[in-house]
Amino acid sequence: MKLKITVLFIAFISSLTIAQTKVGTIDSEYIIGMMPETKKVVEITKSYGAMLDSTFSIRVTDFKVRLEDYKLKEKDMGELEKKTIQKELAGLEQDIKKYQKNGNTLMGLKRDELMRPLYTMLSEAIAFVAKENGYTQILTITGNEFAYIDSKFDITELVLKKLGITIPKG
């Protein structure tokens, strides 16, 4: 009798454990790409990049003009004047490299700043859909490799619907 109760108890606990876990997948980058706000982010980022590029171009042009001027007048300069101008040109070149590096960092920060609200919106929609459909875990498939994924557990379309985004046909 004890054996039957123990077996039934183990079977009951096993079924509860299995029933409590429901794992789904999502292609979050696909959804982000489908969001209409993403186009605005791309436009703003391009505009910001163009502004940084114009400032960078001005610095590069100024450096090139000074370098050409130095090359033309180099023969007529004394040693001290040459060294002074060479030092200035080297400093300008370092400033340009530093500005370029900072520009890349600023672009990344701006893009992250603009994308943060979209990822927050996506996260909230995922949480809503997951709770509504009884999922205990949602895995993102972007960038990960899975040996097998059953598409019936992919909630990408449900989240797109929750965000009010229509899926293009074709």
Side-chain angles (χ1 to χ4, degrees), residues 145-149:
E145 294 182 27
F146 292 97
Y148 173 76
I149 299 173

Side-chain angles (χ1 to χ4, degrees), residues 30-157:
Y30 174 73
I31 293 173
I32 289 291
M34 295 291 293
M35 295 173 85
E37 297 87 349
T38 302
K39 291 178 185 174
K40 293 175 189 170
V41 168
V42 169
E43 289 172 14
I44 293 170
T45 304
K46 282 183 181 179
S47 173
Y48 185 70
M51 183 214 37
L52 290 175
D53 283 347
S54 69
T55 305
F56 179 73
S57 294
I58 291 169
R59 289 176 181 234
V60 170
T61 302
D62 180 50
F63 173 76
K64 286 180 180 179
V65 167
R66 288 183 183 208
L67 182 62
E68 288 301 315
D69 186 50
Y70 168 74
K71 287 179 181 179
L72 290 173
K73 296 177 182 177
E74 181 180 14
K75 294 176 185 171
D76 299 330
M77 292 181 185
E79 253 340 278
L80 181 61
E81 189 178 6
K82 282 183 188 180
K83 285 184 180 183
T84 303
I85 293 176
Q86 288 172 350
K87 195 173 187 179
E88 286 176 14
L89 289 172
L92 286 173
E93 189 175 20
Q94 288 299 320
D95 286 346
I96 288 170
K97 288 178 183 177
K98 192 176 196 180
Y99 187 84
Q100 186 176 22
K101 182 181 175 189
N102 289 344
N104 291 336
T105 302
L106 287 172
M107 280 294 294
L109 290 171
K110 185 68 165 180
R111 185 176 39 255
D112 291 348
E113 174 191 335
L114 295 169
M115 291 299 289
R116 192 172 300 118
L118 302 183
Y119 281 107
T120 300
M121 189 184 320
L122 175 62
S123 179
E124 290 169 357
I126 291 170
F128 180 84
V129 169
K131 287 177 186 174
E132 185 177 65
N133 292 283
Y135 288 95
T136 56
Q137 299 170 17
I138 301 295
L139 305 173
T140 181
I141 62 173
T142 308
N144 296 324
E145 294 182 27
F146 292 97
Y148 173 76
I149 299 173
D150 189 342
S151 62
K152 70 181 179 183
F153 294 111
D154 189 346
I155 67 166
T156 302
E157 289 184 21

